[in-house]
């Protein structure tokens, strides 16, 4: 694609076209008598064009876009005229027309608001008619930036000025009537708050200044030190970045109207976290810990790793209590944040898994306790307590993360839940049964041959979990019939009386006597 820009007196050094140019269409087909409308001429043979005419008047400028297209700016004119293109080959036909229409001057009905500060910057809405194609908006003799919203509305930004001036709109048809706009005196700014009202001595805190008359601010100072930067948000709000400083200083805003009152801003020392107690707890969180250190005043956050504490309370400048959030097992750093900065104590708190019990062996024992059982499970390594129901054993020993031995305390007959507690919480309960000692009330028959070979029936109570039956001190075969009955094999032995006892996890019964009788002599 070849293109070139021309003035009416310019000559173009273009290759000769192969044929006389022909104009097929012009878009748009009409425009203002004042000229200045940009039109697109479409046709053929435009390469090397030396002139574009509207009637007998040359276009003040044109650009050859391609062999088939030219853009041109219309000259002054009236009525309907022929549009032609001239190249070194010749001039195009004269069958395409362009019509000049009379464009009225714009009419301005209102300006809202009708006043603003002398520094300018007020956004005003102009209402009226004939705004299409507007080329200028002026406040007095000063041009303003503007946007044409429609044929009846323009938004403009008032330039700086003073007194009362006439606002006008200039368009293709001329300049409108004037509507007054009054520049008002700039009041002294007033500050009502600074938030936050404190920050670290190193500066860098973004604060929001609230007040009135702030729109023309040209300086924000913290004491005598300018803000690192500031942004005027509106006439009532400024955001500013605090510079480095110490102590408490007044924050002020300066505008073309003067300098505001001062609002106090305090520079805070950075916090120092030195300890967390207790320093471990369950993965479920919910426990309360105490943080110790210095410069905690105004604390805004406490985090465990990246997770905020469920809640925290500032007790004093040197102490905070915090409710630990949930997390996975392992160490985390604890961080305290204040207006003065942050302090992190690495690996200061350890999340511990809740212990889990899977078994107790043996699972039962005597009411008097004193026997040793082995508890198995996981996460037992830091056990702080073992309970049988609500009773602690006389002693327990952590053998590993999966095993504990404990001396069973005395207890009442029946089931007791055994639990293990660590910093991670309290385990599930596994059952341990307290068994009363067995009691044998009758032994039938109470005598028998020295050769054995008969069975004895023992009746009584608490016999169901019998582990051993001794006849004359020797273990005998037996069958538990019920909790109140056992059948025992009588053992051979010398004539005489022997003791029969039953042993269960609950203890050993009082002995019953059995007499072996020898065969009669012949």
């Amino acid at each position: 694609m070849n293109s070139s820009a021309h003035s009416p007196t310019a000559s173009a050094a273009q290759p000769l076209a192969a044929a006389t140019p022909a104009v097929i269409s012009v878009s748009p087909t009409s425009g203002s008598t004042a000229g200045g409308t940009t039109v697109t001429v479409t046709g053929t043979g435009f390469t090397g064009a030396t002139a574009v005419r509207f009637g007998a008047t040359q276009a003040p400028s044109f650009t050859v876009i391609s062999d088939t297209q030219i853009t041109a700016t219309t000259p002054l004119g009236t009525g309907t005229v022929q549009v032609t293109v001239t190249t070194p080959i010749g001039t195009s036909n004269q069958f395409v027309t362009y019509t000049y229409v009379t464009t009225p001057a714009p009419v301005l009905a209102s300006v809202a608001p009708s006043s603003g500060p002398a520094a300018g910057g007020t956004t005003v809405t102009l209402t009226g008619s004939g705004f299409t194609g507007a080329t200028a908006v002026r406040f007095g003799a000063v041009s303003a930036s503007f946007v044409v919203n429609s044929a009846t509305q323009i938004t403009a930004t008032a330039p700086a000025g003073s007194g009362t001036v006439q606002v006008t709109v200039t368009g293709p048809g001329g300049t409108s009537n004037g509507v007054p706009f009054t520049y008002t005196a700039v009041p002294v700014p007033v500050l009502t708050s600074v938030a936050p009202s404190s920050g670290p001595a190193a500066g860098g805190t973004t604060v929001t200044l609230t007040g009135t008359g702030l729109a023309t601010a040209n300086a924000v100072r913290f004491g005598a030190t300018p803000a690192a930067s500031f942004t005027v948000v509106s006439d009532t709000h400024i955001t500013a970045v605090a510079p480095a400083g110490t102590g408490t200083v007044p924050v002020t805003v300066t505008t073309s109207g003067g300098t505001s009152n001062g609002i106090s801003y305090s520079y805070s020392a950075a916090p120092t976290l030195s300890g967390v107690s207790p320093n471990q707890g369950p993965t479920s969180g919910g426990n309360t810990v105490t943080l110790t250190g210095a410069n905690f005043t105004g604390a805004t956050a406490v985090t465990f790793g990246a997770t905020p504490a469920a809640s925290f309370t500032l007790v004093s400048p040197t102490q905070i209590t915090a409710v630990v959030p949930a997390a996975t097992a392992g160490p985390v750093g604890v961080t305290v944040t204040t207006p003065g900065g942050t302090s992190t104590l690495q690996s200061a708190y350890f999340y511990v898994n809740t212990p889990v019990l899977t078994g107790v062996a043996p699972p039962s024992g005597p009411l008097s306790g004193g026997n040793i059982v082995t508890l198995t499970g996981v996460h037992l390594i830091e056990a702080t307590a073992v309970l049988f129901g609500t009773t602690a054993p006389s002693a327990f020993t952590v053998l590993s993360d999966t095993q504990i031995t404990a001396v069973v305390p005395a207890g009442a007959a029946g089931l007791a839940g055994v639990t293990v507690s660590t910093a991670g919480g309290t385990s599930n309960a596994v059952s341990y049964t307290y068994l009363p000692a067995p009691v044998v009330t009758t032994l039938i028959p109470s005598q028998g041959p020295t050769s054995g070979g008969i069975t004895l029936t023992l009746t009584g109570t608490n016999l169901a979990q019998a582990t051993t039956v001794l006849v004359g001190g020797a273990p005998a075969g037996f069958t538990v019939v019920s909790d109140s009955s056992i059948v025992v094999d009588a053992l051979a032995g010398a004539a005489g009386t022997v003791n029969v006892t039953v042993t269960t996890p609950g203890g050993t019964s009082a002995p019953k006597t059995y007499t072996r009788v020898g065969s009669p002599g012949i």
Side-chain angles (χ1 to χ4, degrees):
M1 177 183 297
N2 296 318
S3 66
S4 60
H6 294 261
S7 68
T9 59
S11 62
Q14 300 282 353
L16 292 179
T20 301
V23 175
I24 298 173
S25 65
V26 173
S27 177
T29 59
S30 62
S32 171
T33 56
T37 302
T38 299
V39 298
T40 299
V41 182
T42 303
T44 60
F46 291 166
T47 300
T50 57
V52 175
R53 292 183 176 84
F54 289 73
T57 306
Q58 289 195 44
S61 65
F62 67 91
T63 300
V64 178
I65 304 300
S66 68
D67 192 56
T68 60
Q69 191 176 83
I70 291 175
T71 58
T73 302
T74 62
L76 296 171
T78 58
T80 299
V81 297
Q82 303 291 326
V83 180
T84 60
V85 174
T86 300
T87 72
I89 299 300
T91 298
S92 68
N93 53 44
Q94 298 183 351
F95 302 114
V96 176
T97 60
Y98 178 84
T99 302
Y100 284 97
V101 294
T102 301
T103 302
V107 176
L108 186 56
S110 65
V111 174
S114 60
S115 63
T122 303
T123 298
V124 296
T125 300
L126 316 184
T127 304
S129 61
F131 292 165
T132 301
T135 56
V137 173
R138 293 183 177 87
F139 285 64
V142 182
S143 294
S145 61
F146 67 96
V147 174
V148 177
N149 300 321
S150 67
T152 60
Q153 188 180 82
I154 290 175
T155 53
T157 302
S162 61
T164 298
V165 298
Q166 297 297 312
V167 180
T168 59
V169 176
T170 299
T175 298
S176 72
N177 58 301
V179 172
F181 179 87
T182 301
Y183 286 99
T184 56
V186 179
V188 175
V190 175
L191 280 183
T192 55
S193 67
V194 175
S197 60
S198 60
T205 302
T206 298
V207 299
T208 298
L209 315 182
T210 303
T212 58
L214 309 181
T216 61
N218 53 52
V220 174
R221 292 183 175 84
F222 288 68
T225 307
S229 64
F230 70 91
T231 301
V232 176
V233 178
S234 68
D235 191 58
T236 59
H237 288 86
I238 291 175
T239 58
V241 178
T246 58
T248 298
V249 298
V251 179
T252 58
V253 173
T254 300
T255 70
S256 53
T259 298
S260 74
N261 57 304
I263 297 290
S264 294
Y265 179 85
S266 298
Y267 286 98
S268 304
T272 301
L273 178 60
S274 57
V276 179
S277 179
N279 64 357
Q280 57 183 359
T283 55
S284 59
N287 51 310
T288 299
V289 299
T290 299
L291 315 183
T292 54
N295 304 320
F296 289 165
T297 301
T300 56
V302 174
T303 58
F304 288 72
T307 306
S311 64
F312 69 91
T313 301
L314 177 65
V315 178
S316 71
T318 62
Q319 190 176 89
I320 291 173
T321 58
V323 177
V324 181
T328 57
V332 296
V334 179
T335 301
V336 173
T337 300
T338 73
T342 62
S343 177
T344 300
L345 194 58
Q346 299 295 338
S347 301
Y349 186 81
F350 199 98
Y351 282 96
V352 181
N353 281 313
T354 303
V356 176
L357 281 180
T358 55
V360 54
S364 57
L367 304 182
S368 59
N371 53 312
I372 295 176
V373 295
T374 299
L375 310 180
T376 54
V378 292
H379 311 311
L380 309 180
I381 192 68
E382 294 187 336
T384 56
V386 174
L387 292 178
F388 286 72
T390 58
T391 307
S394 58
F396 70 90
T397 302
V398 177
L399 302 179
S400 68
D401 192 52
T402 61
Q403 197 172 79
I404 293 174
T405 58
V407 178
V408 181
L415 294 175
V418 182
T419 58
V420 172
S421 295
T422 71
T426 299
S427 73
N428 58 302
V430 293
S431 294
Y432 177 83
T433 304
Y434 281 98
L435 297 173
V439 175
V440 177
T441 56
T442 62
L443 188 157
I444 300 173
S446 61
Q447 60 182 12
T450 57
S451 59
I454 66 171
T455 58
L456 311 177
T457 298
L458 281 62
T459 58
T461 57
N462 307 317
L463 306 179
Q465 298 193 51
T467 56
T468 305
V469 176
L470 297 179
V471 177
F478 66 93
T479 300
V480 175
V481 178
S482 69
D483 192 54
S484 60
S485 178
I486 294 178
V487 176
V488 180
D489 296 330
L491 300 178
T497 299
V498 295
N499 289 330
V500 177
T501 59
V502 176
T503 299
T504 71
T508 299
S509 68
K512 282 293 182 178
T513 59
Y514 173 74
T515 302
R516 294 190 182 103
V517 179
S519 300
I522 298 177

